[in-house]
Amino acid sequence: MKLERNNTGILSPKRQLNLYGYESHFNSFTKLHKKNKLPNVMLFSGQKGIGKSTFAYHLVNFLLSDGEKNKYSDDKFEINPDNSSFNLIQTNIHPNFFLLENAADEESIKIDKIRNLLKFLNKTTYSKKLKLVFLDNAEYLNLNSSNALLKSLEEAQ
């Protein structure tokens, strides 16, 4: 009898519907959000591949899908694939979410992406919801882009 292997690839953090191993951390963040004490800036640090991005995408979906049909299931730690925020994030067209990352064919995050981020931040939010920015792999910021980002953060103070 010949056994066939199922070639299931690893899902990218953006497409991972279930959250594993971060339940207590997730509950802590949701409690902060419900008390209106969620920080404006969060930094997740650690080894590559431990689930930081997956956790961040789940938190983003929880925050953006609040009040929507098929919202985030915070008791199952699961994103509903029929949720509109999830689908808008998948296609990079959510009006209140900006993903800052290096493209697959680029070695670094270029300054043009920082300029696009600043344009996004200067626009008003859609339907008075949160505006979220996710900087994935900050180590790929080149010198010009990191200086532009730093300058914009200093001016915001």
Side-chain angles (χ1 to χ4, degrees):
M1 178 192 303
K2 184 178 178 184
L3 294 175
E4 290 187 30
R5 293 187 85 145
N6 187 0
N7 287 337
T8 56
I10 297 174
L11 290 176
S12 72
K14 189 182 212 180
R15 301 191 190 296
Q16 182 57 259
L17 298 176
N18 298 300
L19 183 65
Y20 301 105
Y22 286 94
E23 293 86 356
S24 64
H25 297 312
F26 193 83
N27 285 332
S28 298
F29 280 95
T30 57
K31 286 177 186 173
L32 287 172
H33 173 66
K34 290 173 184 172
K35 294 178 183 178
N36 289 324
K37 295 190 183 254
L38 194 64
N40 290 333
V41 176
M42 293 176 261
L43 175 66
F44 302 135
S45 177
Q47 286 182 306
K48 190 169 184 74
I50 63 170
K52 300 176 303 292
S53 289
T54 300
F55 177 83
Y57 275 111
H58 275 256
L59 187 58
V60 164
N61 187 266
F62 169 80
L63 296 170
L64 292 177
S65 71
D66 189 30
E68 292 180 352
K69 185 178 178 185
N70 303 314
K71 70 178 192 166
Y72 187 85
S73 173
D74 49 346
D75 58 330
K76 294 180 184 177
F77 305 98
E78 183 177 81
I79 297 173
N80 188 322
D82 296 325
N83 175 257
S84 62
S85 284
F86 172 72
N87 290 308
L88 291 171
I89 289 170
Q90 295 304 303
T91 55
N92 294 323
I93 59 171
H94 197 290
N96 292 351
F97 179 74
F98 189 92
L99 175 62
L100 183 61
E101 66 177 350
N102 62 313
D105 59 342
E106 295 177 344
E107 290 183 16
S108 64
I109 299 172
K110 300 201 166 129
I111 194 166
D112 291 340
K113 292 193 177 189
I114 302 299
R115 291 181 183 132
N116 290 336
L117 169 63
L118 297 176
K119 288 177 190 175
F120 168 78
L121 291 173
N122 287 325
K123 293 178 184 175
T124 58
T125 62
Y126 179 72
S127 68
K128 299 182 182 180
K129 285 194 172 188
L130 293 170
K131 189 182 281 192
L132 301 172
V133 175
F134 181 23
L135 170 55
D136 197 12
N137 296 320
E139 66 271 17
Y140 290 111
L141 288 166
N142 67 27
L143 182 61
N144 292 331
S145 58
S146 60
N147 285 337
L149 182 60
L150 180 62
K151 183 180 177 185
S152 67
L153 291 173
E154 289 172 346
E155 289 174 357
Q157 298 296 330

